Amino acid sequence: MPKIVFLPHAEICPEGKVVEAESGVSVIDAALANDIEIEHACEKACACTTCHVIVREGFYSLEEPDELEEDLLDKAWGLEPESRLSCQAIVDDEDLVVEIPKYTINQVSEKH
């Protein structure tokens, strides 16, 4: 089963965390199932950028983003070439290393 390494984030997971994820599950669902509260203001509908992550390792094992995701990513804070919306990044069979950016463009945290 693939593993996802979430790098330390001062507020969301200060120690970082390694979780197992079944192939076919989204990065955000794997995070939420393991008490890593990544913001998701649009409830994982690919309608915002609050679940933006940077895939530091394993990026090319993910399917390519569609045009809607790419358009949304253009609005994300701290966009990098390996940026993805975690609601759209589906785990395949390769381990991932994921960084949660320090900020989102969300003005108010919903704390789901």
Side-chain angles (χ1 to χ4, degrees):
M1 189 175 297
K3 290 183 176 40
I4 304 175
V5 176
F6 289 93
L7 298 175
H9 181 283
E11 295 174 13
I12 297 172
C13 57
E15 305 296 317
K17 198 167 195 178
V18 179
V19 304
E20 289 190 344
E22 290 187 30
S23 295
V25 72
S26 68
V27 170
I28 194 166
D29 284 338
L32 295 172
N34 288 279
D35 301 317
I36 301 170
E37 296 295 322
I38 295 176
E39 286 192 59
H40 51 289
C42 73
E43 293 299 322
K44 305 181 276 183
C46 193
C48 72
T49 64
T50 58
C51 72
H52 167 230
V53 296
I54 302 160
V55 182
R56 296 292 181 200
E57 292 180 25
F59 179 80
Y60 293 104
S61 71
L62 304 171
E63 288 188 19
E64 290 190 27
D66 64 18
E67 189 173 331
L68 174 59
E69 181 181 358
E70 287 181 341
D71 288 347
L72 287 168
L73 282 169
D74 286 341
K75 301 172 187 172
W77 182 90
L79 182 67
E80 294 193 18
E82 294 81 24
S83 288
R84 291 297 304 267
L85 298 181
S86 61
C87 68
Q88 300 300 300
I90 306 300
V91 177
D92 195 11
D93 58 356
E94 195 172 313
D95 293 348
L96 303 173
V97 176
V98 173
E99 179 180 348
I100 303 167
K102 185 174 181 178
Y103 301 109
T104 72
I105 63 168
N106 202 16
Q107 293 182 350
V108 178
S109 177
E110 268 102 44
K111 298 289 183 193
H112 291 278

